[in-house]
Amino acid sequence: MIGSADAFEVCLPPSRLDAFDSRCRVVCALIAAVTIAALRGFENLAAGSMMPVMLLIMDWRTRGGFFSKSLVNINKISVFIWIFLPLTYPGEKLLGPFSREGLMNALIVTWKLNLISSVLLQMIVSLGINGLSDALTRLGCPRKLGMLLTLTMRYVILLSERMATAWRSVCVRSNSIGGGIGAVRVFACVVATTLIHSADRAERASIALARRGGTGGFSQRSASRWRERDSYMCALFLLNSLFIMLFPILIV
Amino acid sequence: MHISEGILAPQILAAGVVIAGAEVAWGLKKTDHDKIVQVAMASSVFFLASLINIRLGPSSTHLSLIGPIGLILGWSAFPAIFVALLLQAVLFQFGGILVLGVNTVSMATAAVAAHLIFGRPVRSGSLKIAASSAFAAGFLAVLLGASLVGMFLSLSDYGMLTAAKTLVAAHIPLGLIEGAAAAFMITFLKRTHPDVLGMAR
């Protein structure tokens, strides 16, 4: 899984959402996601599906591949949920050992999982690590945390090839490292060696960073600012949440 | 050992955010500004190591390395694990952003517990004591992490108690493997570069 630095970058085609401030996107995504997490009934979930589906459709032509790949990854956990919940939840048996209530719960959980993930993918994940770090810092998260996030991402990209090379060289030299405790031992030694190399490198990087007076970020990069349209977007998401909550009352 | 989106109620998610926030804030307070680069570097090594597939008999697994992270980073494991989980959620969609707090509490608490219980014997004990302490740290950190995940799952509204019990039971063999990896790693570091173990505070 490691080796190519590209695997660690979120590079997506531009979207209309890029016109909004990153803070606005994070706040709106959290409003929508928390609202969906609180839903229990199918009527509310149906109403709550509108916004995530619209967000996905908006950029499906350019980002469809990324969305479908990510949703497939996310739904792997659903298999576990669809086996465990219907098997273990008490209630009327519907399909062999599977209970009706368990199947209902599995459906609700999977539905919520997909809705929340769709919103977060389009609004937050597509920001990338740098955009997210910037948004978090400007939303009031400690500067140290933003710096740690940016630096960790930078070193993940730097060290991924080194670690992959070390692992590959071990595999080549030992023909096959096999399974069992021997493989664990080899793995532990590779990780420890990379840790030692990275500790030396970190010391030099730390001195260089201090000499430059930097904090690991790029302050000269022009930061986006909160505009009127960002406030409208937040208001729209709040109204949508209100609508989802009140939907069963409204249809009666 | 991640909880996914959609399973937990907002109250539990909120509790997770509050506890994780306090833990990360405490971890950042205990991390000197000039140590941030070291923490970031170690955090990225563990993040990458957790992506390597190790073949074990007919199956294969990814190790979480919670125990060694705690032993090496100490209190800084709180922000380091938070950042690693955020990267996993954004880059590979493992876990999620809304459940980040709960997942951080489960894993980071286990890592720091390993540091508090086994940190001293690992750093100042003999090689044998360090190896056995590291094994115990690796094993117990995984079990504690899985138990916390199980506890959060059992608090869900969807009757996940059996799933939670199964999850904890399934982590016992994994804990033994993690314990062995931790013991090998700490022995190697103690023999070659004991100063790396001194990073923990």
Side-chain angles (χ1 to χ4, degrees), chain A residues 1-2 7-8 10 33-34 37-40 70 73-74 77 81 84-85 88-89 105 108-109 112-113 116 120-121 124-125 129 132 142 144-145 147-149 151-153 155-156 159-160 163 167 178-181 183-185 187-189 191-193 195-196 198 201-202 205-206 209, chain B residues 4-8 10 13 24 28-29 31 33-34 36-49 51-57 63 65 72 79-80 82-83 86-87 89-94 97-98 157-160 162-163 166 177 180-181 184-185 188-189 192-193 196:
Chain A
M1 198 161 182
I2 60 172
F8 303 105
V10 184
V34 169
L39 301 179
R40 294 276 311 166
S70 304
N73 264 346
I74 288 161
I77 191 76
I81 290 167
F84 257 95
L85 274 183
T88 58
Y89 203 84
N105 277 345
I108 291 177
V109 170
K112 280 165 72 169
L113 167 71
I116 295 172
L120 296 177
L121 278 174
I124 297 186
V125 172
I129 296 297
L132 184 57
K144 262 187 196 175
L145 189 65
M147 192 175 161
L148 184 63
L149 179 60
L151 289 174
T152 305
M153 187 62 214
Y155 296 133
V156 161
L159 293 172
S160 64
M163 203 159 207
W167 189 246
I181 200 76
V184 175
R185 187 174 193 155
F187 167 79
C189 291
V191 176
T193 312
L195 204 61
I196 291 165
S198 71
R201 187 176 190 152
S206 185
L209 206 64
Chain B
S4 287
E5 306 281 16
I7 295 174
L8 300 178
L13 294 174
V24 171
L28 285 172
K29 193 176 173 229
T31 309
H33 208 278
D34 54 343
I36 290 276
V37 182
Q38 275 96 324
V39 175
M41 200 74 96
S43 174
S44 48
V45 171
F46 285 116
F47 174 80
L48 289 166
L51 298 177
I52 293 180
N53 232 343
I54 303 181
R55 200 156 65 79
L56 287 164
L63 300 187
L65 302 174
I72 290 168
F82 171 81
V83 164
L86 183 59
L87 288 182
V90 172
L91 299 174
F92 305 116
Q93 289 78 51
F94 294 160
I97 292 171
L98 216 54
D157 301 334
Y158 300 106
M160 293 264 188
T162 317
T166 314
I177 299 163
F184 289 134
M185 203 180 295
F188 186 94
L189 287 173
T192 54
H193 270 70
V196 174

Side-chain angles (χ1 to χ4, degrees), chain B:
Chain B
M1 213 195 321
H2 297 87
I3 299 180
S4 287
E5 306 281 16
I7 295 174
L8 300 178
Q11 305 89 297
I12 303 166
L13 294 174
V17 169
V18 171
I19 301 170
E23 287 181 343
V24 171
W26 180 252
L28 285 172
K29 193 176 173 229
K30 291 287 234 176
T31 309
D32 291 339
H33 208 278
D34 54 343
K35 288 278 175 201
I36 290 276
V37 182
Q38 275 96 324
V39 175
M41 200 74 96
S43 174
S44 48
V45 171
F46 285 116
F47 174 80
L48 289 166
S50 68
L51 298 177
I52 293 180
N53 232 343
I54 303 181
R55 200 156 65 79
L56 287 164
S59 174
S60 66
T61 186
H62 299 266
L63 300 187
S64 61
L65 302 174
I66 307 176
I69 294 176
L71 292 175
I72 290 168
L73 293 180
W75 290 104
S76 306
F78 280 136
I81 289 178
F82 171 81
V83 164
L85 288 172
L86 183 59
L87 288 182
Q88 287 191 341
V90 172
L91 299 174
F92 305 116
Q93 289 78 51
F94 294 160
I97 292 171
L98 216 54
V99 283
L100 197 58
V102 167
N103 283 333
T104 305
V105 172
S106 312
M107 297 199 198
T109 307
V112 174
H115 157 68
L116 292 175
I117 301 168
F118 300 103
R120 197 178 290 270
V122 161
R123 279 193 300 278
S124 45
S126 67
L127 209 58
K128 268 187 186 167
I129 290 173
S132 45
S133 303
F135 177 84
F139 177 68
L140 291 177
V142 169
L143 274 199
L144 180 60
S147 307
L148 287 170
V149 168
M151 185 195 79
F152 283 119
L153 280 179
S154 63
L155 291 173
S156 126
D157 301 334
Y158 300 106
M160 293 264 188
L161 190 62
T162 317
K165 284 179 192 164
T166 314
L167 182 102
V168 177
H171 275 81
I172 294 174
L174 189 65
L176 292 171
I177 299 163
E178 293 252 8
F184 289 134
M185 203 180 295
I186 296 298
T187 315
F188 186 94
L189 287 173
K190 214 168 159 61
R191 273 202 192 119
T192 54
H193 270 70
D195 49 310
V196 174
L197 293 172
M199 210 192 283
R201 284 186 57 190

